[in-house]
């Protein structure tokens, strides 16, 4: 069974600093990969998705993620953190032919003024 | 375009009672999914409808949970009788086809006392 590991349940960065949220997947073949964000009192919102078209994926709000097959990673980055980025971020994977998403445990991002 | 709508947003009931959660997917979306996040754990898949048919119900915890999607529009998830371990946030998602991203609702926070 495939799984997703998010390193760090809590990450704090200063406003303006680089945001790096880590995600590793276990899969024998490259799956479909997603990053979702949950702002306080809201549902999950899709940030970006990897579907094998390009290894560097750009998403909304200045976020991007790079698929690295050799490292089985799909880390999420943003060059400069903004206060509005404070939220919980989820990495998810879906295997071709199977609809269900498998989520990581989530990383809560705190932005320090 | 209206997003995925879930009702109620919060529900507090006593152990042994029955609760029904409702999900209205995005109009025209044939695929509807239920997920659950128990406190401190990852978001887990419960089941997947294609129109009114259950495509995958491998994540349903036990027979106290009953999901329906009569007519292929909105869906309900009934828990009867509710147990303490059923507490958590129940998310619904929908997608227009299998290779399109899943759009999530704001979730229903269920508390069993």
């Amino acid at each position: 069974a495939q799984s997703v590991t998010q390193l760090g349940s809590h990450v704090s960065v200063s406003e303006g600093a680089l945001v790096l949220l880590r995600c590793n997947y276990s899969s024998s073949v490259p799956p479909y990969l997603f990053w979702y964000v949950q702002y306080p009192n809201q549902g999950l919102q899709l940030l970006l998705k990897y579907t094998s078209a390009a290894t560097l994926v750009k998403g909304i709000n200045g976020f991007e993620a790079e698929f690295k097959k050799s490292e089985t990673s799909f880390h999420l980055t943003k060059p400069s953190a903004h206060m509005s980025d404070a939220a919980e971020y989820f990495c998810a994977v879906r295997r071709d032919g199977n609809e269900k998403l498998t989520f990581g445990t989530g990383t809560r991002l705190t932005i320090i003024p | 375009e209206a997003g995925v709508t879930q009702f109620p947003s919060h529900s507090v009931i006593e152990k042994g009672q029955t609760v029904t959660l409702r999900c209205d997917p995005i109009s025209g979306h044939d695929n509807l999914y239920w997920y659950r996040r128990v406190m401190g754990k990852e978001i887990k898949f419960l089941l997947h409808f294609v129109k009114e048919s259950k495509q995958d119900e491998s994540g349903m915890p036990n027979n106290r949970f009953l999901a329906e999607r009569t007519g292929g529009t909105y869906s309900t998830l009934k828990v009867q009788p509710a147990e303490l371990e059923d507490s958590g946030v129940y998310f619904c998602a929908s997608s227009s086809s299998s290779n399109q991203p899943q759009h999530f609702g704001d979730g229903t926070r269920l508390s069993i006392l």
Side-chain angles (χ1 to χ4, degrees):
Chain A
Q2 59 190 347
S3 66
V4 178
T5 301
Q6 290 185 243
L7 291 177
S9 58
H10 291 82
V11 171
S12 296
V13 301
S14 298
E15 189 175 14
L18 171 72
V19 175
L20 171 61
L21 304 182
R22 300 179 186 275
C23 173
N24 288 84
Y25 67 92
S26 66
S27 176
S28 58
V29 295
Y32 297 105
L33 292 157
F34 306 82
W35 275 99
Y36 282 85
V37 60
Q38 185 179 22
Y39 297 105
N41 300 315
Q42 295 184 28
L44 296 168
Q45 180 180 357
L46 180 67
L47 268 179
L48 49 81
K49 63 178 180 178
Y50 166 76
T51 56
S52 77
T55 55
L56 183 63
V57 182
K58 293 188 182 300
I60 62 172
N61 302 338
F63 283 92
E64 61 182 36
E66 185 173 9
F67 173 73
K68 291 187 177 180
K69 184 179 178 180
S70 61
E71 300 177 6
T72 59
S73 69
F74 190 57
H75 301 332
L76 181 71
T77 61
K78 181 174 180 177
S80 177
H82 192 273
M83 295 300 295
S84 60
D85 294 327
E88 191 163 17
Y89 292 78
F90 297 91
C91 182
V93 62
R94 179 174 73 80
R95 196 174 68 237
D96 194 17
N98 190 323
E99 295 296 316
K100 66 182 179 184
L101 293 172
T102 299
F103 285 88
T105 51
T107 297
R108 187 169 296 280
L109 177 65
T110 300
I111 310 299
I112 303 167
Chain B
E1 177 184 78
V4 176
T5 305
Q6 292 187 244
F7 182 83
S9 57
H10 292 84
S11 180
V12 181
I13 63 171
E14 293 187 350
K15 175 182 172 182
Q17 289 186 322
T18 297
V19 64
T20 300
L21 312 181
R22 173 170 170 147
C23 169
D24 286 74
I26 293 172
S27 178
H29 281 195
D30 288 339
N31 294 275
L32 187 149
Y33 311 83
W34 284 98
Y35 293 84
R36 177 175 74 169
R37 189 184 193 193
V38 173
M39 186 176 295
K41 300 286 185 65
E42 68 271 28
I43 300 168
K44 286 195 172 182
F45 168 83
L46 295 178
L47 86 159
H48 168 211
F49 283 100
V50 177
K51 296 184 180 179
E52 68 275 11
S53 300
K54 293 176 184 175
Q55 186 77 10
D56 180 357
E57 52 183 330
S58 61
M60 294 289 266
N62 50 61
N63 59 10
R64 294 187 294 104
F65 289 75
L66 176 63
E68 295 181 319
R69 194 184 181 194
T70 305
T73 54
Y74 71 91
S75 174
T76 58
L77 180 64
K78 180 189 288 187
V79 185
Q80 180 182 29
E83 298 290 343
L84 297 178
E85 63 265 26
D86 300 333
S87 296
V89 180
Y90 289 76
F91 292 102
C92 177
S94 72
S95 69
S96 56
S97 63
S98 60
N99 62 352
Q100 293 300 312
Q102 296 176 23
H103 299 269
F104 283 76
D106 288 347
T108 293
R109 184 173 297 277
L110 179 61
S111 298
I112 313 300
L113 304 178

